[in-house]
Amino acid sequence: MTDLTRLDAILSAVALPRQRFTVLSADTTIPVGLSPLGVALSPDGGRAYVANRGSNTISVIDTATNTVTATVATAGGPTLTVVSPDGTRVYVTLNDAGALGVVDTATNTLTATVAVGAGALGVALSPDGARAYVTGQTANTLSVVDTATNTVTATVTTGPVPIGVAVTPDGARAYVCCVGDSTVRVVDTATNTVTGSFTAGDVPVIVAFSPDGTRAYVCNAGGNSVSVIDTATNTAVATVGVGTLPRFVAVNPDGTAAYTADFTDNTVTVIDTATNTATGSIPVGNGPVGIAVTPAGNRLYVTDNTDNAVSVIALTLVPSHGTTAGGTIVTLRGHDLAGATAVRFGDTPATILADTATSVTVRTPAGSGAVPVTVTTPGGTAVFGTFYYLPAPLLTGITTNGGEPAMGPVTGGGTAVITGTNLTGASSARFGSRTATIESATDTAVTVTIPAVPSPGPVPVTVITPGGSAGGLTFTYLDTPAVTGASPASGLTGGGTDVTLTGDRLATTQEVTFDNAPAPFAVISDQMITASAPPHPAGDITVTVTTLGGNTTSTYTYLDAPTV
């Protein structure tokens, strides 16, 4: 089994069928090589470099024309990429070869390969570009490469299955995401030693830093979330629910937004870093993995692994949709925006909350349909795209497993159907603070996989759509039932014995079986049910009681009738 296959096997445990949203789309789609994964931009934003694992190539994209201008031949399964601070070299992990490839950007040729840990996957550079840090997924190592000599100068043992790595803006530390134990290791780059670790979320795969280094954003593929880490204390200060199976996280240059590539949902989730909330999602192609933000912060480049393409997304208006009631916080990005005097959605002015030379943040007015957005400054007026007003969702009911009440075990599992109106494009469903995986969404129903929770009790159910969020429903989690006795504990093989089962949390009993054979039963109270034993050959068997909170078992003995 290849190293990347190991990673895919880990991540596929949380993967579910994909869905498509239709509110927005990528502005441009660029065909590249087979199975593109990592993408990185040159320091001036003029070039994008895409690692195509399936074709052993790197596609070079001219971002002015969004066309592929060169294809670099590599070998060994190119996976993730990073560009040197001076733009002269591209470093690419060659996963199958356990090596780091070095590409000369002047000639677009592979000029060197450096043997590193087996299963080379993540790669990051020190701020001065003097060192490259490469994770060895199979070797459980972090290799430190001197980029002047292209030699490994140190090897750091990390936690199990290291994937992503990032270096703090001051170059003092490297953070390594270890999938094997769902921790992030902290490496002192002066001594090349692990000085600490912390737990982020389930299956942490990629980490990115805010420009000032005070926050780390850890993408948790298993938890469908991003953990926001205070780097002074290495503790989580927030957890942001995103799309399903996020594979990559990137932060824009001014630190005001973070973006995740949500592999299963075929979307990019937009995170407001000021409030640590997901403010919207942008549909892209199939199977997005890598994501990069231009230095100007005005575009995203996203690798669509299944489509063999790269989606280019303009960030002039984020999000570009919201509820008809207004109140959506929207950020417009561009240049020469300082002193903006008016922002209009159609003919209606929005409330300006903040403005700088490169961005204006507003609260949308009420409206309907698709309207142009304009910004007026002392220098004139410009159009910044189209905003789509969408009706707010409304929830009317919830059932589980094809019609049962809105109850289930604390362990989660099974499906729930949330009904209502205006639910098309639902991007998130939450049971209390836990994110449910969306399996499908129509205008009138959202089907989800019920998440697990730490304790029993009622929790609110919330659904977020491009038109806003809706609540008002409750789902009740039940503790596991227990049967403590059966009386009588035995009966004849011909069946018909009335058995009283006592215990606790039995009120929601759905089925009683004797050695998997269904038996007629009646619920007397939360502590007692009665069942009629069906015929069965002589011997000891298991009685199983199934409730909405789970299963519990007891024993029963079938006896042969006496004979003369």
Side-chain angles (χ1 to χ4, degrees):
M1 180 180 291
T2 67
D3 295 323
L4 195 67
T5 301
R6 279 185 66 209
L7 172 61
D8 286 339
I10 292 169
L11 296 182
S12 65
V14 293
L16 289 169
R18 298 176 184 166
Q19 57 181 321
R20 293 302 303 267
F21 302 145
T22 56
V23 176
L24 297 173
S25 61
D27 299 274
T28 304
T29 301
I30 307 168
V32 290
L34 301 179
S35 300
L37 294 171
V39 56
L41 290 158
S42 59
D44 64 0
R47 298 289 184 274
Y49 297 90
V50 181
N52 305 305
R53 178 175 172 79
S55 54
N56 283 322
T57 59
I58 294 175
S59 296
V60 183
I61 297 173
D62 182 331
T63 60
T65 61
N66 283 327
T67 57
V68 174
T69 57
T71 300
V72 182
T74 67
T79 304
L80 298 181
T81 56
V82 66
V83 184
S84 63
D86 62 5
T88 61
R89 297 176 304 282
V90 175
Y91 295 90
V92 57
T93 49
L94 305 175
N95 185 264
D96 297 338
L100 180 69
V102 185
V103 174
D104 184 324
T105 59
T107 61
N108 287 323
T109 56
L110 184 72
T111 59
T113 57
V114 183
V116 291
L121 189 56
V123 59
L125 292 175
S126 58
D128 61 3
R131 294 175 303 281
Y133 297 86
V134 185
T135 59
Q137 178 190 348
T138 304
N140 298 332
T141 58
L142 179 71
S143 297
V144 184
V145 177
D146 183 327
T147 59
T149 61
N150 288 330
T151 56
V152 175
T153 58
T155 301
V156 182
T157 300
T158 65
V161 196
I163 303 298
V165 57
V167 179
T168 55
D170 63 4
R173 292 173 291 172
Y175 283 31
V176 181
C177 294
C178 298
V179 166
D181 60 4
S182 287
T183 64
V184 178
R185 297 303 204 274
V186 181
V187 177
D188 183 325
T189 58
T191 61
N192 290 323
T193 56
V194 175
T195 58
S197 67
F198 59 89
T199 300
D202 188 24
V203 192
V205 287
I206 295 292
V207 59
F209 290 102
S210 60
D212 62 6
T214 62
R215 294 289 184 268
Y217 297 87
V218 182
C219 179
N220 305 310
N224 299 330
S225 66
V226 168
S227 296
V228 184
I229 307 298
D230 181 335
T231 57
T233 60
N234 286 330
T235 56
V237 295
T239 300
V240 185
V242 295
T244 309
L245 197 58
R247 297 290 289 268
F248 210 93
V249 62
V251 180
N252 69 354
D254 64 9
T256 59
Y259 308 93
T260 62
D262 306 322
F263 185 82
T264 300
D265 294 343
N266 304 324
T267 61
V268 168
T269 294
V270 182
I271 298 172
D272 182 333
T273 58
T275 61
N276 289 326
T277 57
T279 59
S281 61
I282 306 170
V284 289
N286 290 296
V289 176
I291 189 168
V293 193
T294 58
N298 61 348
R299 277 179 292 170
L300 294 178
Y301 284 78
V302 182
T303 57
D304 300 324
N305 182 262
T306 306
D307 293 342
N308 302 323
V310 171
S311 292
V312 184
I313 302 164
L315 296 175
T316 51
L317 187 65
V318 178
S320 62
H321 52 266
T323 176
T324 55
T328 302
I329 306 300
V330 174
T331 299
L332 300 92
R333 301 184 187 279
H335 299 283
D336 303 315
L337 297 176
T341 56
V343 177
R344 288 182 170 83
F345 285 62
D347 296 328
T348 307
T351 302
I352 297 176
L353 303 176
D355 73 283
T356 68
T358 58
S359 69
V360 180
T361 301
V362 301
R363 180 181 293 109
T364 62
S368 62
V371 299
V373 179
T374 59
V375 178
T376 301
T377 71
T381 299
V383 178
F384 272 68
T386 301
F387 186 84
Y388 299 86
Y389 281 103
L390 302 172
L394 174 68
L395 303 185
T396 57
I398 179 171
T399 58
T400 63
N401 299 319
E404 298 296 341
M407 299 178 180
V410 293
T411 54
T415 58
V417 178
I418 304 168
T419 55
T421 56
N422 303 323
L423 301 179
T424 298
S427 59
S428 179
R430 291 184 173 86
F431 285 54
S433 63
R434 299 305 176 100
T435 300
T437 300
I438 296 176
E439 297 183 5
S440 64
T442 68
D443 192 57
T444 58
V446 179
T447 301
V448 302
T449 298
I450 303 168
V453 295
S455 59
V459 298
V461 176
T462 305
V463 174
I464 299 173
T465 75
S469 64
L473 300 179
T474 298
F475 184 88
T476 300
Y477 282 96
L478 304 174
D479 212 345
T480 305
V483 169
T484 56
S487 178
S490 61
L492 298 178
T493 57
T497 302
D498 289 330
V499 180
T500 299
L501 300 167
T502 55
D504 200 10
R505 300 178 292 279
L506 303 176
T508 63
T509 297
Q510 306 294 294
E511 184 180 51
V512 177
T513 61
F514 283 60
D515 195 23
N516 297 319
F521 71 92
V523 176
I524 307 303
S525 69
D526 197 40
Q527 290 76 40
M528 181 184 297
I529 57 177
T530 61
S532 179
H536 192 282
D540 296 332
I541 60 97
T542 297
V543 178
T544 301
V545 177
T546 301
T547 76
L548 292 179
N551 298 332
T552 181
T553 62
S554 184
T555 58
Y556 183 79
T557 301
Y558 278 97
L559 304 172
D560 284 321
T563 60
V564 177

